[in-house]
Amino acid sequence: MRINKAGRLLIVCVITAAIAVAAWWWWQRQEALNFVRYEEFGIDMPVNYAIHGIDVSKFQKEINWDAVQQMQVDKIRISFAFIKATEGITRQDAAFKRNWQKAGEAGLVRGAYHFFYSTRDPLKQAVNFKNVVQLTSGDLPPVLDIETHNNQPPAVIRSTAKIWLEELEKAYGIKPIIYTNLKFYNTYLGDEFNDYPLWIAHYYQKERPRVDREWVFWQHSDIGRVNGIKTIVDFNVFRGDSAALMKMCLP
């Protein structure tokens, strides 16, 4: 049967429309899958990322790390944990030693962080961290948690942060991670710190944090739940697969 020109054009239009509808349906499905509500975790989880983790301090009280590691819902499980180690020049987190040991024994990838004050001597803050944290092969780089300005100008915050970062890089032989929130990074840090891996806090954003540079970790919620922890806890994702996560760690 011969089909005239108008008929062929109609067939092409129908096929094109079908492809467009299929593409729209696929796109809508992908968008819908960005976040899925899991009652077990108590939050919407960004399921487009494969590697999930938490960060903790003494405020999470005594943690059953085996229960944390064993929890799995669908394909989502906790693979890494950032643990508070120190703060300022004299403070150590009361739960760090136990959390560090038990998280490692449970098989989680560990990272330790320091809460930084630009009003305190950065070298003494670096010594505080080094005296408490012994990083070994397979641990994540040290983390500078910098999120409070203490009425200091950006120039002071940048200069003191650089001293801490450079001192810790010399000590551990690996470039530290910077943790902060979106507003603080844009206001006080900016382009001068783009060479450092970024762990960014930006809650309740669909798909990704709205930061104008590359990031490696995203703290997407501060009200999550996980087996083994009685309190709410911060949830994070890693931007990569398990091989990329291990590549970030100390060799």
Side-chain angles (χ1 to χ4, degrees):
M1 180 178 64
R2 299 181 64 186
I3 302 175
N4 60 26
K5 186 175 181 180
R8 289 196 297 270
L9 181 60
L10 178 61
I11 292 172
V12 170
C13 290
V14 169
I15 293 173
T16 302
I19 292 172
V21 169
W24 176 87
W25 178 86
W26 181 88
W27 180 82
Q28 288 288 93
R29 178 173 170 78
Q30 296 303 107
E31 287 293 298
L33 285 177
N34 282 337
F35 272 73
V36 174
R37 178 76 180 184
Y38 283 96
E39 294 305 324
E40 296 90 340
F41 295 114
I43 56 174
D44 296 342
M45 297 289 285
V47 296
N48 286 14
Y49 299 95
I51 309 298
H52 299 261
I54 57 175
D55 59 276
V56 301
S57 69
K58 65 181 181 180
F59 296 108
Q60 273 67 49
K61 306 185 185 300
E62 187 168 317
I63 297 172
N64 182 338
W65 284 100
D66 288 328
V68 172
Q69 191 276 334
Q70 291 165 12
M71 183 178 184
Q72 182 167 338
V73 184
D74 291 339
K75 296 182 179 180
I76 298 176
R77 56 188 296 272
I78 303 302
S79 299
F80 66 87
F82 286 110
I83 302 168
K84 185 177 181 181
T86 51
E87 179 175 337
I89 62 176
T90 59
R91 298 177 191 172
Q92 295 87 38
D93 189 272
F96 174 74
K97 186 175 180 180
R98 182 185 185 277
N99 282 334
W100 189 252
Q101 178 182 342
K102 296 296 183 180
E105 290 174 354
L108 295 174
V109 177
R110 309 172 300 183
Y113 72 90
H114 172 83
F115 192 91
F116 185 80
Y117 294 101
S118 57
T119 52
R120 315 281 173 82
D121 186 325
L123 286 175
K124 290 181 179 179
Q125 292 189 73
V127 169
N128 187 20
F129 186 88
K130 289 186 291 182
N131 285 344
V132 172
V133 182
Q134 278 71 52
L135 297 178
T136 59
S137 177
D139 291 332
L140 288 161
V143 178
L144 178 70
D145 178 346
I146 181 166
E147 53 184 293
T148 179
H149 57 75
N150 294 112
N151 297 314
Q152 298 299 302
V156 170
I157 293 172
R158 289 194 295 269
S159 63
T160 54
K162 282 182 179 178
I163 292 171
W164 190 95
L165 291 164
E166 291 169 359
E167 190 68 19
L168 269 293
E169 185 171 358
K170 286 189 293 184
Y172 296 103
I174 194 168
K175 194 172 284 293
I177 297 168
I178 292 176
Y179 165 87
T180 192
N181 60 68
L182 186 67
K183 183 177 180 180
F184 193 95
Y185 191 91
N186 289 337
T187 304
Y188 296 100
L189 300 180
D191 296 344
E192 291 185 37
F193 294 84
N194 283 353
D195 288 341
Y196 290 92
L198 178 63
W199 172 18
I200 192 74
H202 200 197
Y203 302 148
Y204 321 127
Q205 297 298 310
K206 297 302 181 182
E207 189 179 2
R208 66 178 68 87
R210 297 175 184 172
V211 61
D212 293 331
R213 56 150 290 185
E214 290 295 312
W215 55 271
V216 288
F217 294 97
W218 170 26
Q219 188 183 79
H220 59 85
S221 178
D222 58 347
I223 55 171
R225 295 279 182 180
V226 64
N227 292 352
I229 301 180
K230 296 176 182 178
T231 67
I232 57 174
V233 64
D234 299 334
F235 267 64
N236 306 270
V237 292
F238 172 68
R239 193 178 190 177
D241 58 16
S242 57
L245 181 65
M246 294 312 300
K247 189 175 180 179
M248 275 206 69
C249 295
L250 273 72

